[in-house]
């Protein structure tokens, strides 16, 4: 008979497009994992019902009495209140008391934080930031998220929302964000959505030959840009160069703000490798004061794309006080 009760935690990473989830043991091994659509659920209630339906057989298999709790990383999630508040990348508008909804449905305690904060905790416990006390994780997916750790502590601010670096303005008067309406934010350029918009603009404005011409303009997305760039297409590579420049300039600002030991890039956009990393590094260093130059490591996450946020979210569950 197993007397080591509460040996698992559930970690859930809610993204604008997809949700990834897993059950994690104390060693950080993900024993069960999967993914489901986020965007197809118009209400949070429908999403919670669907998540519960997915998890019910897994919980039955593991044993509910062996699960400590549920940790969730989600856009605009407030660690202090347990709510998702005015998220620009989710269908669920306004203030959603998400942690309490999950607790009631699952019958387990739940803690929630910003999805990028969860990724930062995952990197600190299990990944590229092991042993570091000052670093920034930038998540490059549907949107641009960030988790800032200073002195070994996540920066939450007075209200739980600190660290929204994706919504800082990097091109004043620039591209309008599709959800917030703010002009020139980092997310409008450096996310997968931003890359899609840049590629469509370049194709509309240029007469240059490109593999991207095989797609109708409205069908060009970040996956198409990646595939064409991998085949050596110059326009697709230029999309990454432009994106990398903007991201690098933004990272210079962030370095001068918190003087991190490292910046860790995480998410689907990083698959472009040096096509994006080279201009990021060039333009970050070019815009730093001398005292900051060549001091900050710029790394990709060491964890599998889904794992950092799941592991970080699950770490919240270990800290829940019953």
């Amino acid at each position: 008979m197993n007397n080591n009760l509460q040996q698992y935690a559930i970690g859930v990473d809610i993204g604008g497009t997809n949700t990834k989830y897993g059950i994690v043991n104390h060693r950080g091994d993900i024993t069960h994992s999967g993914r489901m659509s986020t965007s197809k659920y118009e209400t949070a209630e429908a999403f919670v019902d669907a998540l519960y339906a997915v998890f019910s057989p897994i919980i039955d298999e593991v044993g509910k009495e062996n699960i400590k709790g549920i940790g969730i990383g989600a856009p605009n999630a407030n660690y202090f209140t347990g709510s998702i508040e005015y998220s620009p990348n989710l269908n669920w508008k306004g203030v959603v008391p998400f942690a309490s909804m999950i607790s009631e449905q699952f019958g387990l305690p739940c803690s929630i934080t910003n999805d990028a904060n969860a990724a930062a905790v995952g990197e600190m416990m299990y990944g590229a930031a092991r042993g570091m006390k000052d670093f920034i994780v930038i998540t490059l997916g549907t949107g641009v998220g960030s988790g800032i750790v200073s002195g070994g502590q996540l920066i939450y601010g007075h209200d739980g929302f600190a660290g929204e670096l994706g919504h800082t303005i990097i091109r004043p008067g620039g591209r309008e964000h599709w959800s917030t309406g703010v002009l020139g934010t980092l997310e409008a350029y450096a996310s997968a959505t931003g890359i899609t918009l840049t590629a469509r603009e370049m194709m509309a404005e240029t007469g240059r030959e490109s593999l991207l011409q095989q797609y109708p303009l409205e069908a060009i997305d970040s996956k198409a840009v990646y595939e064409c760039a991998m085949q050596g297409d110059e326009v697709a590579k230029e999309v990454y160069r432009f994106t990398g420049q903007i991201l690098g300039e933004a990272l210079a600002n962030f370095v001068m703000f918190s003087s991190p030991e490292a910046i860790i890039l995480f998410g689907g956009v990083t698959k472009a490798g040096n096509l994006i990393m080279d201009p990021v590094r060039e333009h970050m260093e070019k815009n730093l004061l001398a005292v900051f130059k060549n001091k900050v490591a710029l790394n990709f996450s060491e964890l599998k794309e889904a794992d950092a946020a799941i592991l970080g979210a699950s770490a919240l569950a270990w800290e829940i006080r019953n």
Side-chain angles (χ1 to χ4, degrees), residues 155-231:
I155 302 300
Y156 279 114
H158 83 282
D159 60 354
F161 285 115
E164 283 292 350
L165 299 179
H167 294 289
T168 56
I169 295 167
I170 194 66
R171 284 287 186 276
R175 179 183 291 163
E176 181 177 351
H177 190 281
W178 50 90
S179 180
T180 66
V182 179
L183 303 181
T185 59
L186 179 61
E187 183 168 281
Y189 294 97
S191 61
T193 315
I195 285 172
T196 296
L197 294 172
T198 297
R200 290 178 185 177
E201 286 173 10
M202 283 190 182
M203 290 306 295
E205 292 166 7
T206 180
R208 288 162 63 188
E209 281 193 22
S210 169
L211 293 173
L212 289 166
Q213 287 170 327
Q214 66 189 293
Y215 301 91
L217 203 57
E218 65 278 5
I220 294 174
D221 58 12
S222 59
K223 183 170 181 281
V225 175
Y226 171 77
E227 288 172 353
C228 292
M230 290 299 105
Q231 294 176 64

Side-chain angles (χ1 to χ4, degrees), residues 23-31 125-126 303 307 311 314 318:
I23 291 187
V24 183
N25 66 20
H26 264 299
R27 292 187 304 275
D29 302 320
I30 299 175
T31 62
M125 291 184 72
Y126 308 108
L303 299 172
D307 287 1
L311 290 168
S314 72
W318 297 123

